[in-house]
Each structure stands twice: as C-alpha cells, then as structure tokens.
C-alpha cells in the first residue's frame, strides 16, 4: 500500500489517495526478460544480403585459367571478391520474437510501476478534458512539478477526450503520451517521471481514498 498525492493540472495537491499494486516486491529479472522481449518484438527483420547466386554479373570468367600469374578464378561473384556474394549472411525470414508468459509480464509491469513509486517519480493527476490540444497546459504542469526538460511519460485513460490530451503532451520535448493499454515496461523504465490520470491508474491497481 502506497500513499500518493492526487494533483490537478496546475500541479497542486488536491488530496491524498492510497494505491495498492498486486505485488510489493520488485522483480528485476522479470523486468529484464520483458524489456528484452519487447525489444526483440520491435525488430523488423528486413535486413538482407545477397548470396553468390543472387549477385548480378560474373558470368564471364575474369581471368584465363593458366599463364596469368594469378590464382585461377571462376567468377567475380565469389565471396572473396569485393562486391561478391555473402556467405551465411542475414535473410529477412528470421523470427526474432521472444515470448514471456502472462505472469512474468504482469510482474514486470507492476515492478516497473513500483520502482517509480519508490523513487517518488510517479504522479497521479485528475482526469483531463481538453477541448483542443494545448502544449502550454503540459508545459505549465511540468514546470509546477519541476520536471520540465526531463524524460516524462503521460498516461491517459481510454476515453475519447484523451486524444487531445495525448496531442498536448506528446508535442512537448522528451515527453511521450500514451493510453493506459499502450504502455509497456520499457516505456515506464525509460521515463524519468510517469504522470498517470486517476482513471488510468485504477486499471493498474486498487485506489482508495
């Protein structure tokens, strides 16, 4: 059970709330495995090299077989020639994905949030409803919390109104803004500070008065 301050858009404390995660322990190995899996899953795997058979040209024998003083050569497509084919080079049909089970993924996510709570770098903010995107609102909040210029992550609910909120905060330098169901363990750990809307943090754990 953790005690967190609920703040408003001006960065001022409104009241104190309790927040309880399913775990009270940080699982470093689970976080490591999850980030490794996320990085592997983001690899496109489109890198490719040409084999000897795929290199263009080289149909003509480059040198005569004998009496040239050089080693005999059959084709300029051979791997030891500059511009020749690559032996055992990468092909785009390789699958880089790594899997983690649901329990490990859940422990990793909860551990990442717990790290931010322990470091006092997790802020809970009232749900925001903005009629149109405004970067000034985001900048004002960060200055009030004294976290401007740092790497921040703003997490919103899945409401329709959150689109303008995401646009407002995503436009700030070094700031990422995502819905609660789009946030990864890497996103949390990569950010210096995490600001979560009240309705969004209720998706992660129990919130009390």
């Amino acid at each position: 059970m953790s005690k967190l301050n609920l703040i408003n858009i001006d960065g001022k404390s409104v009241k104190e709330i309790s927040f309880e995660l399913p775990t009270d322990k940080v699982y470093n190995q689970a976080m490591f495995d999850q980030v490794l899996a996320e990085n592997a899953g983001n690899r496109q795997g489109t890198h490719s090299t040409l084999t000897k058979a795929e290199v263009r040209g080289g149909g003509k024998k480059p040198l005569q077989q004998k009496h040239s003083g050089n080693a005999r050569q059959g084709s300029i497509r051979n791997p030891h020639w500059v511009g020749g084919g690559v032996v055992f080079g990468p092909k785009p049909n390789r699958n880089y994905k790594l899997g983690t089970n649901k329990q490990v993924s859940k422990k990793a996510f909860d551990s990442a949030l717990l790290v931010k709570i322990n470091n006092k770098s997790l802020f809970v903010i009232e749900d925001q409803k903005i009629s149109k995107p405004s970067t000034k609102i985001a900048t004002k909040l960060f200055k009030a919390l004294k976290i401007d210029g740092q790497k921040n992550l703003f997490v919103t609910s899945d409401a329709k109104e959150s689109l303008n909120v995401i646009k407002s905060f995503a436009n700030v330098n070094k700031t990422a803004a995502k819905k609660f169901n789009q946030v990864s363990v890497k996103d949390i750990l990569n950010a210096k500070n995490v600001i979560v809307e009240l309705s969004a943090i209720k998706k992660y754990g129990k919130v009390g008065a």
Side-chain angles (χ1 to χ4, degrees), residues 3-205:
K3 294 293 184 180
L4 301 172
N5 287 324
L6 178 65
I7 61 176
N8 56 23
I9 194 61
D10 296 322
K12 296 180 180 179
S13 177
V14 177
K15 63 178 181 179
E16 188 178 65
I17 61 172
S18 62
F19 179 62
E20 184 178 3
L21 284 166
T23 180
D24 57 354
K25 178 183 176 182
V26 176
Y27 294 89
N28 293 317
Q29 187 62 47
M31 289 191 293
F32 176 82
D33 292 340
Q34 184 63 26
V35 172
L36 202 67
E38 290 172 3
N39 287 337
N42 289 333
R43 294 188 66 171
Q44 293 182 345
T46 55
H47 47 287
S48 179
T49 55
L50 299 179
T51 64
K52 176 183 175 181
E54 295 169 333
V55 176
R56 291 190 63 185
K60 180 182 178 181
K61 190 174 175 66
L63 302 172
Q64 60 182 0
Q65 182 75 355
K66 297 178 181 294
H67 311 299
S68 68
N70 298 296
R72 51 193 173 184
Q73 304 291 332
S75 172
I76 59 173
R77 294 187 296 183
N78 288 329
H80 61 276
W81 278 74
V82 176
V86 178
V87 181
F88 304 126
K91 285 294 182 181
N93 57 355
R94 180 175 174 180
N95 185 5
Y96 289 96
K97 290 185 179 180
L98 297 175
T100 55
N101 59 52
K102 291 183 179 180
Q103 288 182 336
V104 173
S105 299
K106 180 60 177 171
K107 283 184 178 180
F109 194 90
D110 293 340
S111 296
L113 286 176
L114 191 57
V115 168
K116 294 304 176 184
I117 293 175
N118 293 339
N119 293 339
K120 297 182 178 180
S121 56
L122 186 140
F123 304 91
V124 182
I125 190 171
E126 293 176 328
D127 290 357
Q128 301 301 310
K129 293 183 179 180
I130 303 175
S131 58
K132 62 179 181 179
S134 175
T135 308
K136 290 182 179 179
I137 296 177
T139 305
K140 183 180 178 181
L141 174 63
F142 291 157
K143 286 184 178 179
L145 297 176
K146 297 180 180 179
I147 59 174
D148 53 313
Q150 300 179 8
K151 296 179 71 174
N152 300 315
L153 171 66
F154 192 92
V155 183
T156 71
S157 62
D158 200 20
K160 293 181 179 179
E161 296 85 359
S162 63
L163 181 60
N164 289 331
V165 179
I166 290 176
K167 289 181 178 180
S168 300
F169 283 86
N171 199 37
V172 180
N173 189 29
K174 296 183 180 180
T175 301
K178 295 186 175 184
K179 294 182 180 180
F180 77 94
N181 55 356
Q182 297 173 333
V183 179
S184 66
V185 175
K186 184 180 178 181
D187 291 332
I188 298 174
L189 296 177
N190 193 41
K192 178 70 174 178
N193 307 284
V194 179
I195 304 95
V196 189
E197 285 188 342
L198 181 60
S199 58
I201 203 169
K202 289 180 179 178
K203 305 289 185 179
Y204 300 147

